[in-house]
Amino acid sequence: MRPTRPQKKPSKATGQIRIIGGRWRGRKLPVLDLEGLRPTTDRLKETLFNWLQFGCADARVLDAFAGAGSLGIEALSRGATQAVFVERSAPAAAQLKENLRRLEAESFTEVNCTETRTYLNTPQTPFDLVFLDPPFHQKLLPNTIAQLVSMEAVSRSSWVYIESEHPLPYEAPANWHLHREKLAGQVCCRLYQVY
């Protein structure tokens, strides 16, 4: 009789994200315990959405490198009308779909389980608001920013939020005006508006 291999345990929802403003304010959603998944902290999220003020109203949102979808969900709670989430991890994407179902938000959201660069290779209608919070130290931002520009996924007056390691691993295009920035330990948060 052959020895049986130990079965890998499925990822479990061991954490949670909290929606801090808008129509779903106070709702808590489960998050899987996955390597590299680090949802934006409530403090940084609050700072970002204070910067944006009314930038979410009626916005079409892209949450690239979505992970738990914390930023895109927060934007929807605050008045965004459509959100596209891109997340390469199948378990994380499945949990995100389940959380959107809990919020009854499936009809105006889309979850793509693929690499962000693959998603951005197809022509896009410009987004009003883009969140870029990739895994750190993987040099993903330069190519992603270049794709956003070349595929015209952002246009004049679009907002782009970037959360990255410090020092900055990218250069913003010349027509991206730095609206606000914050350094929190080794994390740099920047909000740009496209001109």
Side-chain angles (χ1 to χ4, degrees), residues 66-110:
S70 178
L71 297 175
I73 290 171
E74 189 73 36
L76 288 167
S77 184
R78 293 167 182 254
T81 54
Q82 183 186 9
V84 175
F85 298 87
V86 182
E87 172 52 46
R88 69 180 177 186
S89 163
Q95 180 67 66
L96 179 50
K97 282 182 182 177
E98 174 59 21
N99 285 341
L100 293 169
R101 188 197 62 74
R102 287 169 197 243
L103 296 170
E104 299 179 355
E106 308 102 314
S107 64
F108 46 91
T109 59
E110 175 187 321

Side-chain angles (χ1 to χ4, degrees), residues 79-146:
T81 54
Q82 183 186 9
V84 175
F85 298 87
V86 182
E87 172 52 46
R88 69 180 177 186
S89 163
Q95 180 67 66
L96 179 50
K97 282 182 182 177
E98 174 59 21
N99 285 341
L100 293 169
R101 188 197 62 74
R102 287 169 197 243
L103 296 170
E104 299 179 355
E106 308 102 314
S107 64
F108 46 91
T109 59
E110 175 187 321
V111 178
N112 294 275
C113 185
T114 187
E115 297 279 349
T116 295
R117 67 176 181 249
T118 302
Y119 176 78
L120 288 174
N121 273 338
T122 57
Q124 302 296 327
T125 301
F127 291 94
D128 303 302
L129 177 56
V130 175
F131 299 115
L132 299 178
D133 181 11
F136 286 1
H137 309 295
Q138 293 188 25
K139 300 179 179 164
L140 296 168
L141 282 169
N143 286 341
T144 303
I145 291 168

Side-chain angles (χ1 to χ4, degrees), residues 30 38 63 92 126-127:
R38 44 163 196 79
D63 192 346
F127 291 94

Side-chain angles (χ1 to χ4, degrees), residues 2-195:
R2 288 187 353 210
T4 57
R5 284 186 179 163
Q7 298 244 337
K8 264 180 123 177
K9 288 184 179 176
S11 299
K12 292 188 178 172
T14 57
Q16 62 184 15
I17 56 170
R18 183 173 66 92
I19 302 169
I20 58 175
R23 65 178 161 169
W24 298 319
R25 181 181 181 169
R27 290 283 299 267
K28 293 178 180 177
L29 300 169
V31 176
L32 294 180
D33 180 17
L34 295 172
E35 186 179 344
L37 188 66
R38 44 163 196 79
T40 301
T41 65
D42 282 1
R43 176 172 277 175
L44 284 180
K45 208 164 33 170
E46 190 160 7
T47 297
L48 165 61
F49 285 93
N50 283 340
W51 290 347
L52 281 168
Q53 293 189 1
F54 304 108
C56 294
D58 302 319
R60 181 169 184 264
V61 175
L62 171 63
D63 192 346
F65 311 101
S70 178
L71 297 175
I73 290 171
E74 189 73 36
L76 288 167
S77 184
R78 293 167 182 254
T81 54
Q82 183 186 9
V84 175
F85 298 87
V86 182
E87 172 52 46
R88 69 180 177 186
S89 163
Q95 180 67 66
L96 179 50
K97 282 182 182 177
E98 174 59 21
N99 285 341
L100 293 169
R101 188 197 62 74
R102 287 169 197 243
L103 296 170
E104 299 179 355
E106 308 102 314
S107 64
F108 46 91
T109 59
E110 175 187 321
V111 178
N112 294 275
C113 185
T114 187
E115 297 279 349
T116 295
R117 67 176 181 249
T118 302
Y119 176 78
L120 288 174
N121 273 338
T122 57
Q124 302 296 327
T125 301
F127 291 94
D128 303 302
L129 177 56
V130 175
F131 299 115
L132 299 178
D133 181 11
F136 286 1
H137 309 295
Q138 293 188 25
K139 300 179 179 164
L140 296 168
L141 282 169
N143 286 341
T144 303
I145 291 168
Q147 280 183 290
L148 281 172
V149 173
S150 67
M151 298 305 288
E152 299 180 351
V154 291
S155 60
R156 187 179 172 85
S157 81
S158 294
W159 294 97
V160 181
Y161 171 76
I162 301 178
E163 195 170 309
S164 70
E165 66 270 29
H166 187 75
L168 297 180
Y170 67 92
E171 282 189 33
N175 67 326
W176 288 20
H177 169 74
L178 180 60
H179 180 68
R180 294 278 190 278
E181 77 177 317
K182 179 175 181 163
L183 189 60
Q186 294 301 306
V187 179
C188 184
C189 306
R190 286 184 154 198
L191 179 64
Y192 296 91
Q193 188 164 31
V194 180
Y195 275 60

